[in-house]
């Protein structure tokens, strides 16, 4: 498969997907999957205690959740599609062919969820008295639909880490029931409940007057909610970590931090554990002495969970490297089984497009830049985030010219030393061109525009033979 | 004019999840549902803005604008969620064509995400501050005007994409989103969509708001109907000007007889609807009763136009898709052959080389050479340090530390396995130590 190559040479394509996806997970988990059950729980509390405060608090929480989920939440959800189509069309296109019916089912559940949240929110003030019980049932249905949308998509995330028996069977069901599925669901469900509680604490901290009895009551309830979900979350996390395939565990230290900081990984794990314990302590504090909980302590769990979920998603994305779909497609979008062909002929021989650019004084450097776009640009920039220039400086220093031969040898075998790197997909001539281009980055780093700016031209090798024959 | 030969890329070598005809029909169905709510969203925003501006002089229109704005909450959410299915189906059915158009207009394509989110937040802000900003009407209208201005950008991006995906021969001409907008047919299609949005919204206005008097606006039911029928009539007449423009600017090759037939049928169905509209708009007190007929006729027109558009794309891309299919099969064959050749060559060349050397080449040669420093020390130096102690190399390679100021820390090679590491160590000492001995 070959397409014009969209590329952000400063921001990095992965950052684009990462920002959109993490924002979506935060909104979806905290305010929908976890948020709706919390609102329904408070609404039910209002019905049982006949204290109108609980109903009012539930409604105010829902209003915040509703506005954020139907704007930022919905659009970042679609945004994952739009950005994946730009950044890794090969992977998302393949996943679509395998999971089409799962995604279509997801869409039906998704339409149901949106219809139900519209109904649940817009009828809150109208369905009172006799109809209140029916309104609560609407909320329960909505909570189930929200959870189902997550339950389906998590299977696809699991598939990308370990396709299980799909590799032989290639059917939807064998892909859906992959080994990572249930452990990940067991972690995400209670995690979403915790995130909802943390978000609710922030809303309470902002909207309820300090020192009021109402504030203390709200803090007490939400803290008990948090405490109830802590143990299932820890259990889910341990199930999940145990399910990560063995060969991926080696990537964990780099995934947690960065390559340079990998040796601090153990420290980072302890810091995460300590933060989790601290959140638990705040929840206990809120449950036992809600009137005395400080403002900062109400905001801390939300901040901590945002950081932790961000890291969790980064680790999940990182540990599956060097693959986009484990064992089937590398993160550069090349299928494992196509490597022999590309290694023999070169990636450019089989690429339909080149970036549209003027003639160059150094054809090898020009070719090297095209090889970079095909083979490296899904994860690297030339001199931006995760830039190759920076990696070169760390390897060879900045004060001496970089020897293209050394660079070519290094790039050709780097996947052995860095298990998260896919092997170089091109042939030896392309390796030399790439090295020649990399060597120019030391003194002349020039941004590499993607197809969305420069456009494309037809590669000479891709021009139909009938047209070559004419003068 | 010279038209460049179309690129023929290869497709994803996995089978489609269903019969293409089923997917095509599903696509038209979900697309019509999606576009209906998009029409109501865009038309609703435009009418709200127009009525609210008029409301500065005539307060009745301000109240009317408010009732339209209240429908936005539902319309916008359904427009987005119903749009996911057509996105899914088009991505599967026209993977190469759609993704190519996305990449070539990538900046605008990804800006859709923040743009639509901001539009929706502005629409909420506008809706929920109607009373609070009662004394600052211009500011309040300004919020809506900003939302509408951003909102109008969104369909332009989609129209530019679905147009670009249909014409592979244009792909090499496009340099960024705006050059895709200037391709023939884009702006007429965009205008066609905008007028259709106003027609759909005003007919919905007749049916939804024209049933009973609007007390807060001090408007009788017939008065409300008259306002909406008038708008619908004007916008429908505009459609009869824009429609032919769409047809005449469309590249003619895909205008197969069957495609034209469906489009003409759509126009024929629309004509009696416009006559009915005209008659109601001309009455002093327009009735509700002809609305179902108008809606059925225009609904059928929409289905015809959506099908025609889809068939047009099918005809335009039929030959190209066949070429893509052939290229993809060729690629799969070449790939299998190359894998087989490689297997054979490997078996031949492995004869005569020690396993330690093979493992060294794949794992270590990127950073270590025999007699010069690459990234890490040379084999001569290593052999000097570990002479007679190959186990030392194995222990080190499992979990290396940081020793040299002039080299980065070596990554761990525990995953290679002790047996292979030992073979590598033997090879290193044998090769690096040759000269010393």
């Amino acid at each position: 498969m070959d397409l014009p190559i969209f590329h952000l040479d400063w921001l990095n394509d992965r950052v684009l997907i990462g920002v959109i996806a993490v924002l979506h997970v935060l909104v979806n988990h905290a305010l929908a999957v976890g948020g709706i059950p919390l609102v329904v729980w408070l609404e039910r509390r209002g019905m049982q205690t006949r204290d109108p405060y609980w109903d009012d608090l539930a409604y105010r929480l829902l209003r915040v959740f509703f506005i954020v989920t139907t704007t930022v939440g919905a659009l970042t959800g679609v945004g994952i599609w739009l950005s994946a189509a730009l950044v890794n069309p090969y992977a998302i296109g393949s996943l679509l062919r395998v999971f089409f019916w799962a995604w279509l089912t997801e869409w039906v559940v998704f339409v149901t969820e949106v219809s139900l949240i519209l109904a649940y929110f817009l009828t809150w003030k109208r369905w009172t008295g006799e109809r209140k019980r029916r309104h609560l049932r609407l909320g329960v249905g909505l909570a189930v639909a929200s959870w189902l949308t997550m339950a389906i998509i998590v299977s696809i995330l699991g598939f990308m880490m370990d396709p299980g028996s799909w590799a032989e069977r290639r059917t939807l069901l064998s892909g859906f029931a992959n080994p990572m599925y249930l452990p990940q669901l067991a972690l995400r469900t209670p995690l979403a409940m915790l995130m909802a509680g943390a978000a609710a604490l922030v809303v309470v901290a902002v909207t309820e007057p300090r020192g009021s009895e109402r504030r203390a009551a709200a803090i007490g309830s939400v803290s008990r909610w948090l405490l109830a979900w802590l143990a299932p979350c820890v259990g889910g996390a341990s199930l999940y970590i145990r399910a990560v395939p063995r060969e991926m565990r080696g990537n964990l230290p780099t995934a947690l931090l960065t390559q340079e900081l990998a040796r601090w990984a153990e420290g980072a794990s302890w810091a995460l554990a300590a933060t989790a314990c601290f959140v638990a302590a705040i929840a206990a504090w809120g449950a036992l002495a809600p009137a005395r909980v400080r403002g900062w302590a109400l905001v801390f769990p939300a901040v901590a969970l945002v950081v932790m979920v961000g890291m969790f998603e980064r680790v999940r994305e990182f540990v599956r490297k060097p693959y986009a779909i484990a064992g089937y497609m590398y993160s550069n979008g090349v299928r494992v089984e196509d490597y022999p062909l590309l290694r023999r002929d070169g990636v450019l021989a089989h690429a339909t497009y080149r970036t549209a650019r003027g003639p160059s004084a150094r054809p090898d450097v020009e070719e090297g830049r095209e090889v970079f776009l095909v083979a490296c640009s899904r994860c690297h920039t030339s001199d931006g985030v995760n830039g190759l220039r920076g990696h070169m400086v760390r390897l060879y220093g900045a004060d001496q010219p970089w020897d293209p031969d050394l660079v070519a040898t290094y790039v050709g075998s780097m996947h052995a030393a860095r298990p998260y790197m896919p092997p170089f997909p091109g042939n030896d001539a392309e390796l030399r061109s790439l090295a020649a281009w990399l060597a120019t980055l030391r003194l002349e780093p020039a941004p590499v525009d993607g197809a969305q700016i420069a456009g494309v031209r037809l590669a000479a090798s891709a021009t139909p033979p009938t047209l070559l024959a004419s003068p | 004019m010279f038209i460049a030969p179309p690129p023929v890329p290869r497709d994803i070598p996995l089978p489609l999840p269903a019969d293409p005809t089923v997917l095509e029909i599903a696509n038209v169905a979900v697309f019509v549902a999606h576009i209906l709510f998009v029409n109501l969203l865009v038309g609703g925003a435009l009418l709200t803005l127009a009525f609210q501006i008029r409301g500065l002089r005539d307060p009745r229109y301000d109240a009317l604008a408010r009732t339209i704005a209240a429908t936005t909450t539902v319309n916008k959410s359904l427009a987005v969620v119903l749009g996911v299915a057509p996105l899914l189906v088009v991505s599967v059915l026209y993977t190469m064509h759609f993704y190519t158009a996305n990449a070539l207009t990538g900046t605008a394509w990804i800006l859709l995400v923040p743009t639509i989110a901001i539009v929706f937040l502005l629409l909420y802000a506008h809706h929920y501050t109607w009373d609070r900003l009662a004394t600052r009407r211009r500011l309040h209208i300004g919020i809506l005007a900003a939302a509408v201005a951003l909102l109008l950008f969104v369909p332009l991006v989609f129209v530019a994409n679905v147009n670009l995906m249909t014409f592979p021969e244009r792909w090499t001409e496009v340099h960024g989103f705006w050059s895709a907008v200037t391709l023939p047919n884009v702006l007429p299609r965009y205008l066609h969509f905008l007028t259709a949005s106003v027609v759909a919204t005003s007919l919905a206005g007749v049916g939804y708001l024209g049933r009973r008097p609007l007390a807060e606006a001090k408007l009788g039911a017939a008065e409300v109907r008259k306002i909406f029928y008038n708008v619908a009539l004007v916008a429908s007449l505009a459609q009869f000007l824009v429609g032919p423009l769409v047809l005449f600017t469309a590249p003619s090759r895909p205008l197969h007889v069957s495609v034209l037939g469906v489009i003409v049928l759509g126009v024929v169905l629309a004509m009696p609807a416009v006559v009915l509209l005209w008659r109601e708009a001309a009455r002093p007190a327009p009735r509700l009763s002809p609305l179902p007929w108008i809606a059925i006729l225009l609904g059928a027109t929409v289905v015809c136009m959506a099908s025609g558009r889809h068939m047009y794309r099918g005809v335009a891309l039929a030959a190209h898709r066949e070429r893509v299919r052939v290229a993809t099969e060729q690629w799969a064959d070449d790939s299998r052959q190359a894998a087989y050749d490689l297997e054979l060559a490997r078996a031949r060349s492995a004869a005569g080389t020690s396993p330690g050397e093979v493992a060294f080449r794949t794992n270590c040669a990127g950073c270590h050479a025999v007699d010069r420093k690459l990234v890490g020390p040379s084999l001569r130096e290593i052999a000097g340090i570990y002479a007679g102690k190959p186990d030392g190399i194995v222990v080190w390679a499992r979990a290396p530390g940081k020793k040299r100021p002039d080299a980065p820390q070596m990554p761990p090679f525990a995953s290679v396995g002790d047996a292979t590491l030992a073979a590598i160590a033997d090879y290193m000492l044998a090769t690096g130590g040759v000269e010393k001995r």
Side-chain angles (χ1 to χ4, degrees):
Chain A
M1 167 179 193
D2 51 347
L3 289 159
I5 297 168
F6 172 91
H7 178 56
L8 299 172
D9 202 44
W10 178 78
L11 181 70
N12 188 324
D13 299 315
R14 272 180 192 277
V15 174
L16 178 74
I17 289 202
V19 168
I20 294 176
V22 167
L23 207 55
H24 181 70
V25 167
L26 288 174
V27 172
N28 163 280
H29 283 22
L31 310 186
V33 177
I36 299 300
L38 176 61
V39 168
V40 171
W41 180 62
L42 289 172
E43 188 188 14
R44 182 164 164 272
R45 183 117 194 242
M47 284 170 67
Q48 284 174 339
T49 59
R50 295 176 191 281
D51 179 350
Y53 173 71
W54 296 114
D55 196 73
D56 183 53
L57 178 68
Y59 180 71
R60 279 182 294 137
L61 279 177
L62 179 63
R63 191 167 58 192
V64 174
F65 294 177
F66 177 80
I67 288 178
V68 179
T69 49
T70 56
T71 55
V72 180
L75 266 303
T76 47
V78 181
I80 295 176
W81 285 104
L82 303 192
S83 58
L86 292 178
V87 174
N88 216 334
Y90 327 96
I92 194 74
S94 304
L95 288 173
L96 259 176
R97 302 254 167 131
V98 179
F99 283 101
F100 178 80
W101 293 107
W103 255 314
L104 207 66
T105 313
E106 161 104 345
W107 174 72
V108 174
V109 181
F110 193 25
V111 173
T112 314
E113 183 194 2
V114 169
S115 309
L116 285 175
I117 197 172
L118 285 167
Y120 188 55
F121 177 64
L122 296 175
T123 59
W124 192 295
K125 297 282 179 193
R126 270 183 276 160
W127 287 14
T128 48
E130 287 293 298
R131 297 165 84 188
K132 191 65 178 164
R133 193 160 293 281
R134 209 195 304 171
H135 187 259
L136 190 71
R137 276 206 293 273
L138 201 60
V140 174
L142 170 60
V144 172
S146 297
W147 182 81
L148 273 179
T149 57
M150 182 185 78
I152 296 174
I153 202 76
V154 163
S155 159
I156 298 168
L157 294 178
F159 176 84
M160 291 159 82
M161 295 175 80
D162 186 353
S165 64
W166 178 81
E168 296 89 49
R169 295 196 204 158
R170 302 254 167 130
T171 59
L172 171 64
L173 198 68
S174 64
F176 195 86
N178 59 76
M180 289 298 293
Y181 177 42
L182 289 177
Q184 195 171 157
L185 196 58
L187 168 59
R188 280 187 192 265
T189 304
L191 182 65
M193 303 298 169
L194 283 184
M195 291 166 74
L201 278 187
V202 175
V203 175
V204 169
V206 174
T207 58
E208 308 297 77
R210 259 162 216 273
S212 66
E213 229 171 88
R214 295 307 194 191
R215 182 177 165 110
I219 291 172
S221 293
V222 177
S223 298
R224 279 197 294 282
W225 169 274
L226 281 173
L227 279 180
W229 289 105
L230 266 168
C233 193
V234 171
S238 77
L239 275 180
Y240 177 70
I241 290 173
R242 259 183 269 167
V244 172
R246 235 173 123 67
E247 56 273 24
M248 289 186 176
R249 282 189 214 170
N251 284 346
L252 278 172
T254 314
L256 265 175
L257 299 162
T258 68
Q259 194 178 311
E260 296 90 84
L261 300 176
R263 59 204 143 117
W264 301 103
E266 200 177 332
S269 315
W270 283 109
L272 279 178
T275 315
C277 291
F278 195 54
V279 170
I282 289 176
W285 184 8
L288 295 172
R292 272 185 266 156
V293 179
R294 303 287 169 144
W296 63 263
L298 297 177
V299 180
F300 183 83
V303 176
L305 278 167
V306 165
V307 173
M308 286 164 93
V309 170
M311 284 181 88
F312 164 68
E313 297 296 342
R314 178 183 147 80
V315 169
R316 183 185 57 71
E317 277 293 304
F318 196 98
V319 293
R320 69 188 162 93
K321 289 177 189 179
Y323 297 109
I325 301 168
Y328 176 73
M329 180 180 282
Y330 284 114
S331 46
N332 54 20
V334 177
R335 293 193 310 163
V336 176
E337 59 192 272
D338 292 334
Y339 258 66
L341 178 66
L342 295 174
R343 291 290 268 273
R344 187 188 73 194
D345 302 347
V347 287
L348 295 185
H350 290 283
T352 302
Y353 305 100
R354 297 283 185 281
T355 321
R357 253 183 262 275
S360 156
R362 292 200 46 193
D364 59 334
V365 171
E366 195 64 27
E367 182 180 88
R369 182 160 48 188
E370 293 295 320
V371 172
F372 158 75
L373 273 172
V374 175
C376 326
S377 71
R378 298 306 83 207
C379 308
H380 293 283
T381 63
S382 66
D383 193 20
V385 175
N386 200 9
L388 292 179
R389 187 173 183 277
H391 289 306
M392 294 283 286
V393 169
R394 270 187 289 283
L395 280 174
Y396 303 108
D399 37 336
Q400 292 290 321
W402 298 331
D403 178 354
D405 288 344
L406 292 193
V407 176
T409 319
Y410 178 78
V411 174
S413 61
M414 121 200 94
H415 57 283
R418 315 274 175 208
Y420 42 81
M421 292 294 297
F424 178 71
N427 63 13
D428 289 347
E430 287 177 337
L431 199 52
R432 284 193 294 276
S433 303
L434 178 66
W437 172 73
L438 283 170
T440 66
L441 290 182
R442 191 176 71 95
L443 296 177
E444 315 152 41
V448 182
D449 288 334
Q452 80 277 19
I453 297 170
V456 288
R457 65 184 170 78
L458 215 50
S461 56
T463 309
T466 47
L467 287 149
L468 278 178
S470 62
Chain B
M1 194 178 90
F2 175 75
I3 298 270
V8 183
R10 44 177 198 280
D11 199 357
I12 294 177
L14 287 172
L16 284 180
D19 184 77
T21 318
V22 174
L23 290 175
E24 299 271 5
I25 294 170
N27 194 20
V28 174
V30 287
F31 179 76
V32 168
H34 161 64
I35 206 71
L36 174 68
F37 284 98
V38 173
N39 280 331
L40 293 178
L41 167 65
V42 174
L46 286 171
L47 285 187
T48 306
L49 181 62
F51 286 163
Q52 215 189 348
I53 290 173
R54 191 157 175 195
L56 287 173
R57 273 173 292 150
D58 184 347
R60 292 182 308 169
Y61 278 88
D62 192 76
L64 184 59
R66 189 170 187 170
T67 57
I68 303 174
T71 63
T72 305
T73 306
V74 171
N75 292 337
K76 68 151 192 20
S77 285
L78 290 178
V80 169
V81 73
L82 290 175
V84 171
L87 189 69
L88 198 70
V89 182
V90 168
S91 306
V92 166
L93 209 45
Y94 294 93
T95 312
M96 299 313 295
H97 302 88
F98 193 56
Y99 285 173
T100 300
N102 296 167
L104 290 173
T105 61
T107 312
W109 185 244
I110 201 62
L111 278 177
L112 285 175
V113 176
T115 306
I116 302 175
I118 291 169
V119 168
F120 287 0
L121 285 169
L122 285 172
L123 288 175
Y124 277 135
H126 176 255
H127 180 48
Y128 287 119
T129 57
W130 212 292
D131 292 322
R132 220 175 300 164
L133 293 179
T135 53
R136 305 170 72 186
R137 275 275 155 262
R138 275 166 211 284
L139 173 66
H140 189 232
I141 294 175
I143 297 174
L144 179 60
V148 169
L150 285 174
L151 179 60
L152 288 179
F153 171 70
V154 175
L156 188 60
V157 178
F158 279 104
V159 172
N161 263 275
V162 292
N163 183 67
L164 184 58
M165 70 178 279
T166 317
F167 303 108
E169 63 273 18
R170 299 281 192 172
W171 290 347
T172 51
E173 290 172 31
V174 171
H175 302 278
F177 168 68
W178 292 108
S179 79
V181 171
T182 58
L183 290 183
N185 214 220
V186 173
L187 290 175
R189 272 172 84 168
Y190 177 62
L191 277 181
H192 194 250
F193 161 80
L194 288 185
T195 41
S197 294
V198 175
V199 176
T201 310
S202 28
L203 289 179
V206 174
Y208 180 66
L209 299 173
R211 292 181 181 278
R212 59 194 78 80
L214 215 58
E216 56 274 34
K218 300 192 186 69
L219 285 168
E223 282 176 293
V224 172
R225 291 199 291 269
K226 174 126 183 134
I227 292 171
F228 283 119
Y229 271 130
N230 278 338
V231 179
L233 177 64
V234 173
S236 308
L237 292 176
Q239 283 287 62
F240 278 87
L241 290 178
V242 181
L245 199 63
V246 174
L247 203 57
F248 294 139
T249 55
S252 55
R253 185 168 42 79
L255 281 174
H256 188 260
V257 181
S258 60
V259 179
L260 270 179
V262 174
I263 292 175
V264 169
L265 176 64
V267 177
V268 169
L269 285 166
M271 282 174 175
V274 174
V275 173
L276 286 173
L277 262 180
W278 193 305
R279 281 196 354 216
E280 287 315 304
R283 284 172 191 273
R287 298 162 304 168
L288 198 58
S289 53
L291 184 69
W293 294 108
I294 298 174
I296 288 169
L297 286 166
L298 287 184
T301 302
V302 169
V303 172
C304 283
M305 294 302 175
S307 309
R309 203 190 74 133
H310 207 78
M311 290 161 70
Y312 178 83
R313 176 160 65 203
V315 175
L317 291 179
H320 188 254
R321 291 172 91 191
E322 179 57 20
R323 291 176 70 181
V324 168
R325 193 187 62 76
V326 171
T328 310
E329 275 181 11
Q330 181 66 46
W331 159 266
D333 286 348
D334 290 351
S335 182
R336 269 192 294 275
Q337 183 64 42
Y340 176 76
D341 293 347
L342 182 72
E343 195 72 16
L344 215 62
R346 263 202 197 130
R348 282 185 193 147
S349 77
T353 312
S354 79
E357 185 177 351
V358 173
F360 175 82
R361 274 195 217 145
T362 45
N363 291 296
C364 323
C367 298
H368 302 281
V370 177
D371 49 8
R372 59 193 175 128
K373 174 186 179 277
L374 298 180
V375 175
S378 68
L379 294 197
R380 297 246 182 284
E381 221 184 316
I382 294 172
I385 300 169
Y386 292 102
K389 295 176 287 187
D391 284 354
I393 297 182
V394 175
V395 171
W396 169 261
R398 270 192 224 133
K402 166 103 176 134
K403 271 203 300 207
R404 294 161 191 262
D406 59 336
Q409 182 178 350
M410 180 172 147
F413 281 85
S415 59
V416 172
D418 282 0
T420 311
L421 285 178
I424 292 175
D426 290 342
Y427 167 77
M428 281 179 156
L429 295 184
T431 314
V434 171
E435 230 158 71
K436 258 187 188 166
R437 275 179 218 155

